[in-house]
Amino acid sequence: MTYSIVARDPNTGALGVATATGSVAVGGFVPHVRYPVGAIATQGAFTNWLYGDRGLALLANDQTAEQVRDRLIADDEGQAQRQLLICDAQGRTAAHTGTANLGEKKHHCTDNLALAGNILASEQVIDAMLDAYLSHADWPLHERLISALAAGEAEGGDQRGTHSATVRVHSPDKPPIDLRVDWADAGCIDQLKALLNKTRAHAFQAFLDGVPTHAHPAKTGHVSDEEVR
């Protein structure tokens, strides 16, 4: 029911997840990110969202992406109905696609990047997402992730259409990015892009300039009453 991408930027260490689905509020179930630990996407016919917290805790305990995948699946009697993506802090990735997931389903793993989907319009959805992500290597991670979703949607995305989407990124030296569209009758990824454009407004950028980061946890900024428009 969902197509997703998890990734690590090898230049900055940023970790992120982007996901879209034909159902409502995908941001509440699929993306799990913690810097500098890893990024996880939990989806499938019956999403085991508990994989998120458990998986991040295992990654924080120096388990690799493959070790975490194997542990989570081994402990879950319902693993046939799950789909899972993991990227650890070193960029190692792992995935699982249970046999009981419906429709066209596929996952792909490489260094710093993993993608997966089920109930896809076709397997080419994942291929298009991969090509889009790789073709924008100089873009910030969150923009590359959204470009992958846009390419997946253009290739047909979820068989039922795309109605909710989200992107979540944690970085060492920037505040988190957490944007979501919980429902759109049409143009879901365009709405996600519109939210991203709102974050580029001068007032919001001035706010971000003063927000603490992992690298600067006591950071402050200039107080202003300027509004985002």
Side-chain angles (χ1 to χ4, degrees), residues 30-163:
V30 174
H32 311 269
V33 184
R34 185 188 306 162
Y35 179 84
V37 174
I40 297 176
T42 56
Q43 56 196 52
F46 288 92
T47 305
N48 191 337
W49 58 274
L50 298 171
Y51 283 178
D53 285 345
R54 288 192 61 211
L56 290 173
L58 290 168
L59 290 175
N61 198 32
D62 295 327
Q63 300 291 294
T64 69
E66 286 192 353
Q67 288 171 329
V68 172
R69 185 266 319 274
D70 293 347
R71 174 72 177 273
L72 294 174
I73 297 308
D75 290 346
D76 184 3
E77 293 181 359
Q79 59 86 16
Q81 298 179 337
R82 322 297 187 204
Q83 195 170 48
L84 171 67
L85 291 170
I86 303 174
C87 180
D88 66 28
Q90 285 71 47
R92 296 168 297 200
T93 60
H96 164 77
T97 298
T99 57
N101 286 293
L102 300 177
E104 293 287 346
K105 48 189 178 288
K106 181 179 181 177
H107 67 248
H108 174 86
C109 291
T110 188
D111 290 345
N112 297 299
L113 178 65
L115 310 94
N118 59 89
I119 311 191
L120 298 170
S122 71
E123 289 190 359
Q124 281 66 51
V125 171
I126 299 302
D127 299 334
M129 293 172 67
L130 177 62
D131 289 345
Y133 183 85
L134 294 177
S135 67
H136 299 301
D138 58 331
W139 288 11
L141 181 58
H142 60 284
E143 294 187 16
R144 297 179 74 184
L145 293 173
I146 293 175
S147 76
L149 290 186
E153 183 184 46
E155 194 62 39
D158 191 311
Q159 285 182 2
R160 304 163 300 172
T162 297
H163 296 300

Side-chain angles (χ1 to χ4, degrees), residues 19 49 95 114 153 155 170 180 201 205:
T19 182
W49 58 274
E153 183 184 46
E155 194 62 39
H170 286 192
R180 65 178 63 190
Q205 287 296 312

Side-chain angles (χ1 to χ4, degrees), residues 5-27:
I5 177 171
V6 302
R8 173 182 177 269
D9 185 334
N11 296 317
T12 67
L15 294 154
V17 179
T19 182
T21 192
S23 189
V24 63
V26 70

